[in-house]
Amino acid sequence: MRDFNDADRQKKKGRINLPENPDNLSQEALQDLETAVRGAARDGYVPCPSAWRIAADAGISRLAVGAMIDRLGLRITDCQLGCFKVSKTAHTGTVKEPFTEEIARRVAALGEKGEFTCTAAAALARELKVKPMAVAEAANVQKYKIKQCQLGCF
């Protein structure tokens, strides 16, 4: 595991302006959030689904959880859309998660409007009752990049 260090923080700040406490949580709520995030971390990483669950259980935004993960020097892993897998960065011609023409059409519509965000991808997967990775694979094949991570990673 590579630590999330000061150089990483500076690089990220150049791309994303993420407030330290996006939900203006009280000190007590921040302490509870820190405890939950530390409890979900394994070897310096917090799985994306665990971060979503922490946000839902605490009734706070996913961005607040992402900010705490950054604050603790942890990293996100197991992105539900495959964004942190090196093998996902460029389509190799091999589809890992099958997708339908309908998924491809809907992804293209979002991508052409510049609205292909993490939130939109997750919503599309729920609406079409498919795995989020099917939506991500359709985007990858069509060379659309997912933007605006709900945890503030990108």
Side-chain angles (χ1 to χ4, degrees):
M1 176 203 71
R2 191 173 74 77
D3 289 334
F4 188 73
N5 58 36
D6 288 334
D8 295 318
R9 281 186 190 85
Q10 290 304 319
K11 185 177 173 185
K12 184 174 179 177
K13 272 189 177 176
R15 296 185 326 264
I16 301 166
N17 187 10
L18 184 64
E20 194 164 314
N21 185 357
D23 289 4
N24 294 317
L25 300 173
S26 67
Q27 281 305 116
E28 183 181 339
L30 282 171
Q31 191 67 41
D32 291 345
L33 177 56
E34 180 176 342
T35 300
V37 168
R38 285 187 188 279
R42 299 291 177 260
D43 297 322
Y45 289 86
V46 176
C48 176
S50 296
W52 281 39
R53 191 169 25 265
I54 290 167
D57 290 350
I60 60 175
S61 73
R62 293 176 185 135
L63 205 54
V65 177
M68 179 58 71
I69 289 168
D70 279 358
R71 180 193 240 180
L72 297 174
L74 303 171
R75 291 182 170 266
I76 296 291
T77 189
D78 299 335
C79 172
Q80 296 172 91
L81 297 170
C83 292
F84 306 130
K85 293 182 180 177
V86 173
S87 63
K88 285 291 292 172
T89 56
H91 182 61
T92 60
T94 305
V95 174
K96 294 182 179 24
E97 185 65 43
F99 59 90
T100 64
E101 193 59 40
E102 171 70 2
I103 296 170
R105 187 181 61 73
R106 299 282 296 276
V107 164
L110 288 168
E112 289 169 14
K113 291 189 270 184
E115 298 174 357
F116 194 62
T117 63
C118 177
T119 302
L124 182 59
R126 275 191 311 277
E127 180 186 334
L128 299 176
K129 295 178 176 59
V130 297
K131 294 179 183 178
M133 284 299 290
V135 173
E137 190 67 39
N140 196 36
V141 167
Q142 296 177 83
K143 300 190 183 345
Y144 290 111
K145 287 193 76 156
I146 299 166
K147 57 186 181 179
Q148 296 175 354
C149 170
Q150 294 177 72
L151 295 170
C153 296
F154 53 86

